[in-house]
Amino acid sequence: MGKNFLIKILVLIIAILLWMQFTLMKIHEEEIPVSIKLVNMPHDLVLEEELPEIPVHIRAKGMDILFLKLSKTHFEIDAENFKYGKNKLNFTEKNLVYFHRLQLDVLNIDKSGNLNVSMDKQVEKNKAIEIQYASAKDEEFFIENKITNTQQRVTVKGPLAVLNAIKVIQTEPISKKMVNDGKLSVLLITPDPKAELLKDRIVFEVTQTKIINRTISLIPIKFPETENISIIPQKVSIMVRGPQEIVEKLDNNSIIANINLAKVRKGFTEVKFEVPAGIRIIEYTPKKIQVIENK
């Protein structure tokens, strides 16, 4: 039983090999897609879109067709005279590049598709840098400890249409852990695969800021005029903490105090504050504001 099974397997393998030999030596007609390669392209131009593949109808032995598919067959087109905008792709069988030992007949080259290719200008532009933060706490840290050279710009190279669409170059998310001896080395993120950053990293300088506390008094408490109410008291004092250069410029108009009507309990409620970026509220008094409905 086992011997008969092995014989059957051997016969099947021989049959497959004979069929493959017959198929590979037989003449076939087949249509294959062939890519396009541009040579001598002007250095100030770049492809705006991918080049199409051209269907080519050929006659050859199965073996040659197999090698043709496995090899780097392409149409080679001289782009030396290409200009900005649309250019027509002109080619014939003479432009077809393939392994010279292959024997094949080119029956037809399908040129019915779009044979225009768009070229864009290859340019360089300077773009502003936009800093990304790893977390809200890290953003607060860099508000307190200022980056002094944030106005740096980076040069980007690429197609004109691509660069025109890029407004800023973003950094990787930065954190306070990345600061070393007052410097911050940051990776820049390439915004488009067609764009090239002439440098992919930038160094920021971080200055240590003095953090201070300060109490600001007599801040008016605001509430909707449409509400028929009175409040006691009408002003509040607040202690804030933040960078010295910001805190010292604050006055009672820099901070907005709003009555929290959503949390009125037994005639009393709290105050909500709006403070400048980088400023943190330590405490405020009074904690409770009396709300009186006018009769």
Side-chain angles (χ1 to χ4, degrees), residues 220-231:
I221 303 173
K222 297 183 178 182
F223 59 88
E225 295 181 359
T226 55
E227 298 290 335
N228 189 24
I229 60 173
S230 300
I231 61 172

Side-chain angles (χ1 to χ4, degrees), residues 39-278:
V39 295
N40 301 325
M41 194 162 63
H43 71 277
D44 60 340
L45 294 180
V46 64
L47 276 170
E48 197 173 86
E49 57 198 8
E50 289 187 7
L51 292 169
E53 289 188 330
I54 306 301
V56 179
H57 191 190
I58 63 169
R59 180 193 294 125
K61 290 181 180 179
M63 180 69 73
D64 287 336
I65 292 177
L66 177 62
F67 276 108
L68 187 70
K69 290 180 178 180
L70 295 176
S71 63
K72 296 180 179 179
T73 305
H74 61 273
F75 284 106
E76 189 170 281
I77 297 177
D78 190 348
E80 183 179 7
N81 296 320
F82 276 23
K83 301 185 184 306
Y84 170 64
K86 285 192 175 182
N87 297 266
K88 188 169 182 61
L89 297 172
N90 295 311
F91 54 90
T92 65
E93 183 182 342
K94 293 180 180 180
N95 300 101
L96 186 61
V97 177
Y98 57 92
F99 185 51
H100 67 279
R101 291 188 180 180
L102 299 181
Q103 297 180 359
L104 55 89
D105 295 323
V106 177
L107 302 179
N108 181 56
I109 300 174
D110 187 352
K111 300 182 182 180
S112 62
N114 179 20
L115 297 182
N116 291 318
V117 59
S118 293
M119 306 297 291
D120 201 354
K121 292 180 180 179
Q122 179 89 324
V123 297
E124 292 182 5
K125 288 197 172 188
N126 291 326
K127 297 292 181 179
I129 295 172
E130 182 178 85
I131 298 174
Q132 304 295 305
Y133 300 97
S135 68
K137 286 187 176 180
D138 287 307
E139 183 175 6
E140 183 179 340
F141 171 83
F142 286 106
I143 291 173
E144 295 177 354
N145 302 273
K146 287 187 176 299
I147 298 174
T148 57
N149 53 342
T150 56
Q151 301 305 313
Q152 297 183 71
R153 300 176 75 84
V154 64
T155 303
V156 190
K157 182 179 179 181
L160 179 62
V162 172
L163 298 197
N164 283 342
I166 298 172
K167 303 305 178 187
V168 295
I169 303 299
Q170 293 184 334
T171 68
E172 64 177 325
I174 65 173
S175 71
K176 59 185 178 182
K177 294 180 180 179
M178 298 167 64
V179 179
N180 186 15
D181 291 333
K183 296 189 181 298
L184 180 68
S185 179
V186 181
L187 189 68
L188 299 174
I189 300 172
T190 305
D192 190 289
K194 295 180 181 178
E196 177 190 355
L197 298 173
L198 296 196
K199 61 177 181 179
D200 62 359
R201 188 170 289 274
I202 197 165
V203 177
F204 290 122
E205 295 178 359
V206 182
T207 57
Q208 192 72 27
T209 301
K210 184 178 180 181
I211 305 300
I212 63 171
N213 293 349
R214 183 183 170 202
T215 299
I216 301 172
S217 303
L218 303 178
I219 301 171
I221 303 173
K222 297 183 178 182
F223 59 88
E225 295 181 359
T226 55
E227 298 290 335
N228 189 24
I229 60 173
S230 300
I231 61 172
I232 301 175
Q234 296 183 348
K235 296 183 179 181
V236 66
S237 296
I238 184 173
M239 178 181 284
V240 295
R241 180 176 176 83
Q244 183 176 5
E245 63 270 23
I246 298 178
V247 172
E248 288 182 344
K249 295 178 182 179
L250 297 178
D251 56 29
N252 56 6
N253 294 316
S254 306
I255 297 171
I256 299 174
N258 292 294
I259 200 79
N260 192 348
L261 292 177
K263 289 191 175 182
V264 177
R265 299 290 184 272
K266 296 182 180 181
F268 289 87
T269 189
E270 301 172 350
V271 178
K272 296 188 296 183
F273 293 95
E274 297 177 26
V275 297

